[in-house]
Amino acid sequence: MVNPFFKNTGPFKVTEILNLLNLDTKQVNSDIIINDIKDLSTSNENDITFFHSKKYKSLANNTKALFCITTENLKNDLHNSWTPIIVENVLIANSKVKTKYYTTSINDKF
């Protein structure tokens, strides 16, 4: 679904996202392109998603995203085919990545 309010400035290589979050880029294929950041239920295989609470475990098991921003404590609840992106605070990391894809969202003028 196209976001009717903000323009997506992606896609970006996964290494750009890992650099943004100050994470090691050696653990992933640097050529993988990520189109967007989406929630667990609407993400596709070329998207990144986030998992911050066990109450969303059923959605996490059905998401199609290849990469998932999560914590060390929650990574074992993810499907084995996903690549977890381990951060200390999922919501802060999510905000940083969303700002990268939707740069004008932080300057909402109405």
Side-chain angles (χ1 to χ4, degrees):
M1 181 174 130
V2 174
N3 186 320
F5 302 105
F6 303 108
K7 184 179 184 311
N8 182 333
T9 59
F12 300 103
K13 288 186 176 185
V14 68
T15 51
E16 290 179 70
I17 294 168
L18 293 175
N19 280 331
L20 174 71
L21 301 175
N22 297 319
L23 299 173
D24 183 16
T25 60
K26 296 174 189 170
Q27 61 184 336
V28 297
N29 179 343
S30 63
D31 294 330
I32 296 175
I33 300 293
I34 305 295
N35 292 331
D36 202 352
I37 181 165
K38 294 183 181 175
D39 61 67
L40 290 165
S41 61
T42 61
S43 60
N44 295 312
E45 64 182 38
N46 289 34
D47 296 327
I48 189 169
T49 190
F50 56 99
F51 177 48
H52 71 287
S53 171
K54 282 193 182 264
K55 73 179 183 178
Y56 300 111
K57 184 177 178 176
S58 64
L59 290 173
N61 285 325
N62 294 316
T63 190
K64 296 175 184 167
L66 182 59
F67 293 94
C68 184
I69 299 170
T70 193
T71 62
E72 187 69 35
N73 292 338
L74 293 172
K75 76 175 183 180
N76 294 327
D77 292 325
L78 294 175
H79 191 275
N80 291 339
S81 64
W82 304 332
T83 302
I85 296 175
I86 307 300
V87 296
E88 286 186 33
N89 187 311
V90 174
L91 299 178
I92 289 174
N94 177 39
S95 176
K96 288 178 180 180
V97 175
K98 281 190 178 183
T99 301
K100 182 166 184 68
Y101 279 94
Y102 298 96
T103 55
T104 60
S105 66
I106 58 173
N107 298 321
D108 190 15
K109 296 176 184 172
F110 57 95

